[in-house]
Amino acid sequence: MRNKKDLSLIDRLSHEARLGRLSRRDFMRHSAAAGLTAAAATGLWTSEAKAQPKSGGTFRVAIHDNNTSDTHNPGTYLSIQQIFLAHTHRAYLTLINTDQTLGGDVAEDWSGSEDASEWTFKLRDNVTFHDGRKCTADDVIASMNFHRGEASTSAAKALLADVADITKTDDLTVVFTLTGPNADLPWLMTDYHLTIQPASEDGIEWRNGIGCGPYKIVDGEFGVGFKLERHDGWHGEGAYFDAVEMIAINDPNARQTALVTGDVDAVSAIDLKTMALMQRNPQLIVDNVPSASAITMPMHTNTAPYDDVDVRMALKLAMNREEIVEKIAFGAGTAGNDFHHSPAQPYYPEGLDQLSYDPDQARALLKKAGHENLKINLSSAESIFSGAVDMCVLYSEQAKAAGIDITVVREPNDGYYSDVWLKKPFCAVAWGARPTPDVMYTLAYKADAAWNESFWVNERFNELLLQGKSELDDAKRSEIYREMAQIARDDGGTIIPFFRNFVYGRRSNVQNTGELAASWEMDGCRAASRWWFDG
Amino acid sequence: MGDILGLVLKRLGFGLITLLIISIIIFFMVELLPGDIAEAVLGQGATPENLAALREEMGLNKPAFVRYFEWLGGAVVGDFGNSVVSGERVSTLITERFINTLFLAAYAAVIAVPFAITLGVIVALLRNTLFDRVANVLTLTSISSPEFFLGYILILYLSVKTGMFPAISSLRADMSFADLLHRTFLPALTLVLVVTAHMMRMTRAAIINLLASPYIEMARLKGTPPWKVIVKHALPNAWAPIINVIALNLAYLITGVVLVEVVFVYPGIGQALVDAVSKRDFPIVQACCLIFAATFILLNLAADVGAILTNPRLRHPK
């Protein structure tokens, strides 16, 4: 059945997978193509292909997006430097596994009440802080309360707005009582702000940098770098490196040169323009991971002409998303379909019709709406993402074929999110990845959300959103999100040109399991505890 | 000598007034930037409630001039306050980085100044020869190229292709001095290339200017060899303009290194300043800018004093 040629193909696949060049999904697909049954391929993956971690070494990683003024305050986490460090020296209640499922970090188990308005988290009994103290329910409660309450300055305050109370039933059990149902609360606990710190008399100790994560800080300075070493009492799996050295390198060129010369072992972001060059270097491996981080263009649906659904649809059809992905994202992106739900998130509705470039149809819709030769402004700024202004200019060229005249307005980088976003009726925006569709829709599409960026009010959509929050049955939730996606695509006020990929690189001696968490760059910012050196 | 002391004191007094004016300008320029520090810190996570709470905590609700005078009150007794964003002392945040910047500037200056002056003397001696032309073309090319471009070229040839020097200069506390010199050689060399041309050409021009003077002719006529004419007779009279240019370039080595710091990932003060501006962290911006301004004031003063000391006519006025 399996001839010699196939066998050598399988061997090659296994070899590639051991090197971390092949993900589990790709391995299964290629194995099937080589005539292997799924069961055989799964067996092969666990016994042969999946790389075996080794311990040791110092992992030197160059991080992009660093500020000198960053701090250990979890309420103001914003830069990748802070987020990568947080996942390295602190721990969360839950985490996102490399296969994008939800797993436990400090919590080992959790369960919701029937209507999902009360959640109970069981904590592991072996979690210790870096100074040896045990992590208990009191620490978890204090860490959560840091983001709540009147005086809180935390950016995660809105995220926990519907938490009414957090109590403990014993030292290892924490109960969250909500004001309404929220089936996604365990997912919310992976949010990068919600780290666990030791409780103190008046809140939490965050200044000293003590956490209960895989590595403890030896010394370091924000904007320059950090040295960490393994926390021997860590409760989780992994942490193969003896030590981790984070180096702050904001300049993409310097970062990539450091990787090429071997001054660092991995970099957290690669400039898309030079991605192809890096891929050709046999000493480097480029990881290219589709994420839930979206580029959006909200149209204010309460403002003419965007209050007309035909105009909105015409603007959606006037965009050639494939061309934008190819030319602006250099292929490292997934075309959007105007619902803010990425294939990297759970409950993704497969098989919905993709909106495609159709200038004739767009022209006809505008004629129907009485807006022939539509003239509009589109605000953008280079700080949104590298290429944001180019993307808008390309879109305005594409839209000309539909008789739409889009003037791209270049706004100042400074204060874009306070002066342009939510104020100008049509602008470009970049969103970070959120763990579930419910979080994203609640944040920016719910009728009364503070960041409802298109001021979109659709009764059925909002009704479904509430239903989804209290539905604990996965199949039913999938159906709900499918219908919501359709409504957003056909009626919504937000154009989503594409979802970005996270593109980062490592030396070929740095290994990972071949599966990468898509919540952040660098394997969900957990590369330090998930990756290892091979040889 | 009493006159020099008087001059120094007078100039220092003017310098302080200059610094005061600069501090006012910087403060209100930072105020003029769109958005405020609380928005910069919270980013997209800002809601009206937590913005208000953060502004209260950072003391941003007071009027701008009250905040300025509070800062000034501390600054005149040497207290530059705390970073608004992180709450750390400005002095702790900046000291180490400023020392790093000074080290790199000193490293570059120790190479560049003797090199540029020697080269200037040699090309003056060999003026209008092929050597003169080549030296001029090379130094002018290096001064005309942006620093980051020079940096990338050096990285390409001395680091990526030959591996002689590391591409990034991130520092570690436990490095030996030799290690330190090796790690920071490329940024220092970049700076050397940037500042050499200016000093060399000024040396050359100042010397050649003097060569038409009667006393040089006299020296030649009595049979002094050409190199001696230049080093012993022309150079002493050419010091004033050369010292001026050296002072200007030394100031540049401290204040103009932001790009070099970024390209070589060197933890100096420039990066701290850029970060502080993007976050509107006024006390840090203020401290960095005042350090830069003071550098210019002091080096200019030093140049003037140097020019007087090297000129006997100014040293002993009638």
Side-chain angles (χ1 to χ4, degrees):
Chain A
M1 186 180 79
R2 281 162 55 183
N3 63 29
K4 202 164 167 234
K5 188 167 152 255
D6 286 343
L7 258 183
S8 69
L9 177 63
I10 298 290
D11 284 346
R12 245 186 6 251
L13 285 174
S14 302
H15 178 71
E16 289 287 301
R18 267 196 300 274
L19 287 178
R21 291 182 202 266
L22 209 60
S23 71
R24 183 174 185 277
R25 185 187 283 187
D26 288 338
F27 179 80
M28 300 296 279
R29 210 175 59 223
H30 292 307
S31 303
L36 234 61
T37 63
T42 309
L44 203 59
W45 171 260
T46 38
S47 67
E48 287 270 324
K50 200 168 138 195
Q52 293 305 313
K54 290 181 187 147
S55 286
T58 297
F59 182 52
R60 298 161 307 164
V61 52
I63 304 290
H64 70 287
D65 185 19
N66 310 270
N67 284 303
T68 311
S69 52
D70 287 347
T71 65
H72 288 305
N73 180 350
T76 55
Y77 277 167
L78 188 63
S79 70
I80 295 296
Q81 168 178 244
Q82 290 171 304
I83 295 168
F84 188 90
L85 184 65
H87 285 86
T88 307
H89 83 119
R90 285 174 170 162
Y92 295 78
L93 268 183
T94 55
L95 53 74
I96 292 176
N97 289 318
T98 50
D99 59 0
Q100 324 307 341
T101 56
L102 189 68
D105 191 348
V106 169
E108 62 179 351
D109 197 19
W110 50 91
S111 57
S113 64
E114 207 151 290
D115 65 343
S117 67
E118 192 183 282
W119 284 89
T120 307
F121 289 85
K122 286 295 278 179
L123 310 185
R124 286 175 209 262
D125 61 359
N126 61 345
V127 182
T128 53
F129 288 106
H130 298 154
D131 57 2
R133 277 178 286 178
K134 252 181 97 68
C135 172
T136 66
D138 292 321
D139 301 309
V140 173
I141 292 172
S143 298
M144 294 301 151
N145 284 340
F146 179 74
H147 305 280
R148 302 172 60 230
E150 197 80 343
S152 171
T153 57
S154 168
K157 195 173 167 178
L159 195 71
L160 297 178
D162 55 357
V163 175
D165 197 18
I166 308 177
T167 51
K168 63 169 185 176
T169 49
D170 62 57
D171 265 356
L172 294 174
T173 313
V174 179
V175 181
F176 286 69
T177 314
L178 311 181
T179 52
N182 188 347
D184 276 348
L185 189 82
W187 285 93
L188 283 186
M189 291 299 127
T190 66
D191 182 88
Y192 60 98
H193 299 97
L194 304 182
T195 48
I196 310 297
Q197 287 76 223
S200 69
E201 277 160 31
D202 54 348
I204 53 167
E205 295 170 24
W206 59 262
R207 288 177 194 277
N208 55 17
I210 288 181
C212 48
Y215 290 87
K216 57 183 171 203
I217 297 176
V218 179
D219 72 76
E221 193 187 327
F222 284 102
V224 180
F226 281 90
K227 265 179 151 173
L228 305 102
E229 61 185 34
R230 189 191 288 125
H231 170 40
D232 287 321
W234 189 45
H235 55 271
E237 231 182 283
Y240 305 110
F241 301 116
D242 294 334
V244 175
E245 220 173 279
M246 283 171 63
I247 305 164
I249 308 188
N250 287 329
D251 181 50
N253 214 314
R255 211 163 47 234
Q256 282 164 212
T257 309
L259 182 66
V260 171
T261 57
D263 283 306
V264 297
D265 303 304
V267 295
S268 61
I270 278 179
D271 190 13
L272 297 179
K273 290 184 191 114
T274 50
M275 180 170 67
L277 283 172
M278 307 290 276
Q279 280 165 335
R280 249 182 278 155
N281 185 330
Q283 288 175 317
L284 307 179
I285 299 171
V286 173
D287 292 306
N288 191 343
V289 184
S291 82
S293 163
I295 306 300
T296 65
M297 289 184 184
M299 307 174 264
H300 290 189
T301 54
N302 56 0
T303 311
Y306 312 109
D307 51 354
D308 188 328
V309 66
D310 287 330
V311 172
R312 300 202 290 266
M313 185 47 87
L315 285 165
K316 290 174 181 178
L317 292 173
M319 175 179 282
N320 185 343
R321 291 150 217 264
E322 283 68 36
E323 194 184 10
I324 287 178
V325 169
E326 185 199 320
K327 292 190 173 149
I328 304 295
F330 296 90
T334 315
N337 202 10
D338 296 349
F339 53 91
H340 205 138
H341 188 170
S342 126
Q345 289 171 322
Y347 312 115
Y348 180 73
E350 299 278 355
L352 281 187
D353 284 342
Q354 170 72 40
L355 288 175
S356 55
Y357 185 46
D358 191 345
D360 297 331
Q361 171 81 11
R363 194 187 283 271
L365 280 171
L366 285 177
K367 194 169 179 185
K368 184 179 147 208
H371 280 290
E372 273 174 297
N373 301 320
L374 185 67
K375 262 190 197 326
I376 49 173
N377 288 342
L378 171 59
S379 295
S380 185
E382 199 54 31
S383 60
I384 304 166
F385 68 96
S386 160
V389 175
D390 291 344
M391 173 185 77
C392 294
V393 171
L394 181 61
Y395 173 44
S396 91
E397 287 301 315
Q398 294 164 351
K400 272 185 189 152
I404 305 171
D405 181 5
I406 300 177
T407 309
V408 178
V409 182
R410 197 189 183 116
E411 306 279 357
N413 288 345
D414 282 313
Y416 185 83
Y417 286 103
S418 43
D419 302 333
V420 178
W421 182 54
L422 299 179
K423 303 229 162 65
K424 300 277 166 84
F426 194 27
C427 67
V429 178
W431 281 94
R434 297 299 192 284
T436 63
D438 174 68
V439 178
M440 196 60 236
Y441 287 143
T442 306
L443 204 57
Y445 295 85
K446 196 163 173 267
D448 58 355
W451 294 340
N452 180 357
E453 55 179 0
S454 62
F455 299 93
W456 180 51
V457 182
N458 180 302
E459 216 173 301
R460 176 68 183 153
F461 184 89
N462 283 286
E463 197 182 297
L464 286 167
L465 184 62
L466 288 183
Q467 261 180 40
K469 280 180 188 297
S470 58
E471 183 57 71
L472 289 174
D473 181 312
D474 276 351
K476 284 185 189 150
R477 282 193 94 184
S478 293
E479 271 316 303
I480 289 172
Y481 291 122
R482 168 177 293 273
E483 191 181 340
M484 286 169 73
Q486 269 165 351
I487 297 172
R489 184 196 60 188
D490 298 336
D491 183 66
T494 303
I495 302 179
I496 303 180
F498 65 96
F499 288 92
R500 288 189 284 182
N501 286 11
F502 291 137
V503 182
Y504 40 91
R506 53 192 158 105
R507 304 282 298 177
S508 52
N509 63 334
V510 179
Q511 297 293 301
N512 57 42
T513 58
E515 284 183 324
L516 297 164
S519 46
W520 289 101
E521 287 91 346
M522 304 299 281
D523 207 348
C525 270
R526 288 181 184 268
S529 54
R530 284 179 175 165
W531 297 4
W532 65 91
F533 283 125
D534 190 56
Chain B
M1 282 318 249
D3 288 332
I4 293 187
L5 201 65
L7 173 95
V8 170
L9 289 177
K10 204 167 102 191
R11 290 282 295 274
L12 284 178
F14 279 125
L16 283 178
I17 297 174
T18 316
L19 289 181
L20 181 72
I21 296 171
I22 289 174
S23 77
I24 296 174
I25 296 175
I26 295 166
F27 180 82
F28 288 99
M29 298 258 271
V30 174
E31 283 293 308
L32 281 179
L33 290 172
D36 76 351
I37 191 165
E39 285 169 358
V41 168
L42 289 172
Q44 258 186 338
T47 58
E49 300 95 70
N50 61 6
L51 271 181
L54 194 60
R55 283 191 183 123
E56 186 61 45
E57 192 183 292
M58 290 174 165
L60 298 178
N61 289 333
K62 294 178 211 159
F65 68 92
V66 173
R67 276 181 288 134
Y68 175 74
F69 281 110
E70 277 179 3
W71 172 83
L72 189 67
V76 289
V77 293
D79 173 10
F80 285 91
N82 298 339
S83 156
V84 183
V85 179
S86 65
E88 292 249 11
R89 312 253 343 129
V90 170
S91 43
T92 40
L93 283 172
I94 283 190
T95 310
E96 199 178 328
R97 284 165 172 266
F98 186 53
I99 291 171
N100 289 344
T101 298
L102 280 182
F103 169 78
L104 186 62
Y107 190 3
V110 164
I111 302 172
V113 174
F115 175 67
I117 293 177
T118 315
L119 198 63
V121 170
I122 294 173
V123 293
L125 196 62
L126 305 173
R127 59 191 174 282
N128 302 330
T129 61
L130 186 67
F131 179 78
D132 180 24
R133 302 246 163 84
V134 170
N136 267 311
V137 166
L138 287 182
T139 49
L140 281 178
T141 311
S142 69
I143 201 177
S144 316
S145 322
E147 290 109 313
F148 63 87
F149 179 69
L150 284 177
Y152 288 148
I153 297 218
L154 291 180
I155 288 177
L156 179 62
Y157 286 104
L158 298 182
S159 177
V160 177
K161 295 221 161 154
T162 59
M164 281 156 59
F165 295 96
I168 55 172
S169 314
S170 51
L171 305 176
R172 288 188 196 99
D174 51 357
M175 266 198 267
S176 70
F177 190 64
D179 235 15
L180 188 66
L181 291 182
H182 181 243
R183 271 204 98 79
T184 52
F185 182 73
L186 287 188
L189 184 60
T190 311
L191 290 172
V192 167
L193 290 176
V194 171
V195 298
T196 296
H198 202 183
M199 292 190 282
M200 178 208 98
R201 286 180 61 81
M202 186 49 91
T203 308
R204 177 183 183 274
I207 290 173
I208 289 176
N209 248 341
L210 289 169
L211 291 182
S213 319
Y215 80 97
I216 296 285
E217 197 137 337
M218 181 62 213
R220 277 215 204 96
L221 286 175
K222 74 180 187 195
T224 318
W227 68 268
K228 223 173 174 178
V229 170
I230 285 178
V231 175
K232 290 201 79 169
H233 297 274
L235 193 58
N237 275 320
W239 275 126
I242 297 174
I243 287 176
N244 253 316
V245 169
I246 290 176
L248 210 62
N249 279 294
L250 289 184
Y252 180 80
L253 285 179
I254 293 174
T255 61
V257 294
V258 179
L259 290 177
V260 174
E261 280 176 15
V262 169
V263 168
F264 292 100
V265 197
Y266 186 80
I269 202 168
Q271 190 65 50
L273 174 60
V274 173
D275 282 356
V277 170
S278 70
K279 288 274 182 201
R280 323 273 186 268
D281 202 342
F282 151 75
I284 296 183
V285 178
Q286 195 66 282
C288 293
C289 290
L290 289 183
I291 287 174
F292 289 168
T295 309
F296 266 104
I297 291 171
L298 291 176
L299 283 170
N300 267 321
L301 178 60
D304 287 353
V305 172
I308 293 174
L309 290 179
T310 55
N311 189 333
R313 271 175 303 184
L314 292 174
R315 215 165 25 186
H316 308 289
K318 279 180 214 150

